[in-house]
Structure formats: structure tokens, C-alpha cells
Amino acid sequence: MTNITLKALRAYLLLSAQDKLCFLAQITEIEQMQAMVRLDYTKSVLMRVSKEKVNASSLAV
């Protein structure tokens, strides 16, 4: 393990039980948000590609 990982683990172990529950709840919330962010990114990429195709087809005419 790296030094940063060890420091983070030590800090986590020193947290109270209530703080650990809050920390884990935040991680769960972030994990749920990742799917939304991934979906938004995918939609933006698809929109950009679609726009580029429209622009390319209009130049070809």
C-alpha cells in the first residue's frame, strides 16, 4: 500500500461509528451518481457526433 492509502486507512479507523456510517453513506451516494454522470456523458457524446454528422452532410451538398 502507498503512504497515502495507509494514512487514509488510519484516518478511517479513527473515526467514530457515527462518522463511519456517514462516510459510507456518502460513498453510496457517489456510486449512485456515477451512473447518472455516465449517462449524461454518453448523451453529450451522441449529441456531438450527431451534430458533426449533420454538419458534414450539409457541407457535402
Side-chain angles (χ1 to χ4, degrees), residues 5-24:
T5 305
L6 290 173
K7 285 181 181 179
L9 180 60
R10 182 175 183 270
Y12 176 77
L13 293 173
L14 293 175
L15 292 175
S16 68
Q18 181 65 34
D19 288 339
K20 286 179 184 176
L21 288 175
C22 289
F23 178 75
L24 294 174

Side-chain angles (χ1 to χ4, degrees), residues 13-59:
L13 293 173
L14 293 175
L15 292 175
S16 68
Q18 181 65 34
D19 288 339
K20 286 179 184 176
L21 288 175
C22 289
F23 178 75
L24 294 174
Q26 290 174 350
I27 290 176
T28 302
E29 188 176 323
I30 290 169
E31 287 174 342
Q32 291 171 351
M33 292 172 67
Q34 284 179 339
M36 291 185 295
V37 170
R38 198 175 307 118
L39 178 62
D40 286 345
Y41 174 76
T42 302
K43 286 190 329 188
S44 67
V45 168
L46 290 173
M47 288 175 59
R48 183 178 31 179
V49 169
S50 176
K51 186 176 181 181
E52 289 172 359
K53 284 184 179 180
V54 168
N55 288 343
S57 66
S58 66
L59 292 175

